[in-house]
């Protein structure tokens, strides 16, 4: 394993893919701004503690993996990566995400699980093209109303947070198919979610939900309601209403 950044590597300006996964290099030198043609940068488990603004010079970068490092914040320049499609931030110590991430025109996948996020940016651009947003195992207590702007979202993972309520804006998320809300503090669901007819997979386990007056879960195939204080009669009613779904109580 490499313990220091390879001398001379930063001077190669024709690199398109750099994979340093598992090498405890701890930092990236400033000279990497020579990587003008870089398409993918993989830095999983490299003991990185911070990134500098040089990152913003990678205008062709499509995939950036920073999984399992020591990052507590991201440089502002990360919002300049206009070609970025996949951003992996899971397994760090991030307390917030720059609002500009949601403005990146080509970003489709944003994984930020296993961090210490307490909130999302209040402003989420209606131009966002995100299809997957994974925020499991954080410290989120609420979601911004602007989450309604993520109209192309297919997968939203919010399990293992501290959500006690949800904004009533799921009617705009017309592509949302997979939604995980397990292990939160929810007692009820907003009307727009109860009417979300495109859902196929919904995990509500380990909450405080007592009632479900849904109407349009016609596409639902997997429903997890384990460890909720549901009335027995309601359980029977749900089974009858969703005959084609695999339901776990």
């Amino acid at each position: 394993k490499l313990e220091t950044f390879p001398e001379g590597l930063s001077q190669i300006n024709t690199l398109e893919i750099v994979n340093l996964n598992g090498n405890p290099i701890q930092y990236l030198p400033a000279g990497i701004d020579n990587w003008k043609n870089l398409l993918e940068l993989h830095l999983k488990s490299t003991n990185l503690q911070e990134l500098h603004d040089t990152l913003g010079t990678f205008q062709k970068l499509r995939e950036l993996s920073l999984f399992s490092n020591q990052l507590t914040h991201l440089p502002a320049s990360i919002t300049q990566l206009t070609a970025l499609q996949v951003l992996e931030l899971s397994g760090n110590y991030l307390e917030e995400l720059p609002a500009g991430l949601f403005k990146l025109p080509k970003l489709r996948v944003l994984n930020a699980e296993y961090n210490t996020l307490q909130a999302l940016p209040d402003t989420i651009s209606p131009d966002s093209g995100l299809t997957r947003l994974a925020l499991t195992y954080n410290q989120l207590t609420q979601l911004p109303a602007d989450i309604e702007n993520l109209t192309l979202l297919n997968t939203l993972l919010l399990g293992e947070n501290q959500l006690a309520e949800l904004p009533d804006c799921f009617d705009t998320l017309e592509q949302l198919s997979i939604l995980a809300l397990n292990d939160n503090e929810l007692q009820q669901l907003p009307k727009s979610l109860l009417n979300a007819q495109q859902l196929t997979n919904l995990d509500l386990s380990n909450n405080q939900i007592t009632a479900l007056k849904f109407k349009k879960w016609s596409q639902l195939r997997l429903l997890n309601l384990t460890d909720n204080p549901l009335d027995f009669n309601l359980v029977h009613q749900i089974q009858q209403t969703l005959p084609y779904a695999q339901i776990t109580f």
Side-chain angles (χ1 to χ4, degrees), residues 1-244:
K1 289 186 176 182
L2 300 172
E3 294 186 359
T4 59
F5 189 86
E7 185 176 349
L9 186 60
S10 60
Q11 303 304 314
I12 305 175
N13 59 16
T14 57
L15 290 172
E16 294 187 352
I17 299 176
V18 173
N19 189 332
L20 292 167
N21 287 347
N23 293 288
I25 57 174
Q26 298 186 23
Y27 76 97
L28 294 174
I32 60 173
D33 56 3
N34 288 317
W35 293 348
K36 303 296 185 184
N37 295 301
L38 198 63
L39 302 177
E40 297 181 16
L41 179 57
H42 301 275
L43 297 168
K44 174 182 175 181
S45 302
T46 51
N47 288 348
L48 286 178
Q49 296 185 18
E50 67 175 329
L51 296 166
H52 42 69
D53 280 335
T54 303
L55 190 66
T57 63
F58 303 150
Q59 291 300 297
K60 295 183 180 181
L61 193 66
R62 296 186 304 213
E63 184 171 347
L64 174 60
S65 175
L66 299 167
F67 180 84
S68 189
N69 281 290
Q70 310 296 317
L71 299 172
T72 58
H73 65 280
L74 299 172
S77 63
I78 198 171
T79 63
Q80 299 170 15
L81 301 176
T82 54
L84 196 63
Q85 299 175 22
V86 178
L87 178 57
E88 175 59 79
L89 300 171
S90 299
N92 282 281
Y93 299 92
L94 299 173
E95 296 182 0
E96 61 180 4
L97 297 175
L101 285 182
F102 294 91
K103 295 181 181 179
L104 292 176
K106 296 185 178 180
L107 189 62
R108 298 294 179 264
V109 175
L110 175 54
N111 294 329
E113 300 178 292
Y114 292 92
N115 277 281
T116 57
L117 299 174
Q118 298 179 16
L120 294 180
D122 289 333
T123 303
I124 295 178
S125 171
D127 298 325
S128 173
L130 278 179
T131 61
R132 174 185 169 90
L133 178 59
L135 299 168
T136 310
Y137 284 101
N138 277 284
Q139 299 171 16
L140 299 174
T141 58
Q142 61 182 2
L143 299 178
D146 265 11
I147 202 168
E148 67 182 3
N149 290 331
L150 300 178
T151 56
L152 298 180
L153 206 61
N154 171 270
T155 300
L156 178 58
L157 306 182
L158 295 167
E160 299 283 355
N161 278 282
Q162 300 167 22
L163 298 170
E165 61 180 355
L166 300 171
D168 195 8
C169 61
F170 285 85
D171 49 345
T172 67
L173 307 185
E174 296 180 352
Q175 306 300 318
L176 189 63
S177 175
I178 299 172
L179 176 59
L181 293 165
N182 56 288
D183 296 275
N184 279 284
E185 301 169 12
L186 299 170
Q187 297 183 27
Q188 59 184 5
L189 302 181
K191 182 179 179 181
S192 58
L193 179 52
L194 293 169
N195 291 333
Q197 58 185 354
Q198 75 285 358
L199 282 176
T200 62
N201 190 330
L202 178 59
D203 190 348
L204 297 171
S205 59
N206 291 293
N207 280 282
Q208 299 299 317
I209 297 171
T210 57
L212 280 178
K213 297 181 179 180
F214 59 89
K215 295 180 179 179
K216 298 182 179 179
W217 287 352
S218 57
Q219 303 299 316
L220 203 62
R221 294 298 176 264
L222 291 174
L223 175 60
N224 191 341
L225 291 166
T226 305
D227 292 326
N228 280 282
L230 295 170
D231 179 82
F232 175 79
N233 292 328
L234 178 60
V235 170
H236 181 65
Q237 178 185 347
I238 293 173
Q239 290 174 322
Q240 287 187 319
T241 309
L242 299 172
Y244 301 109

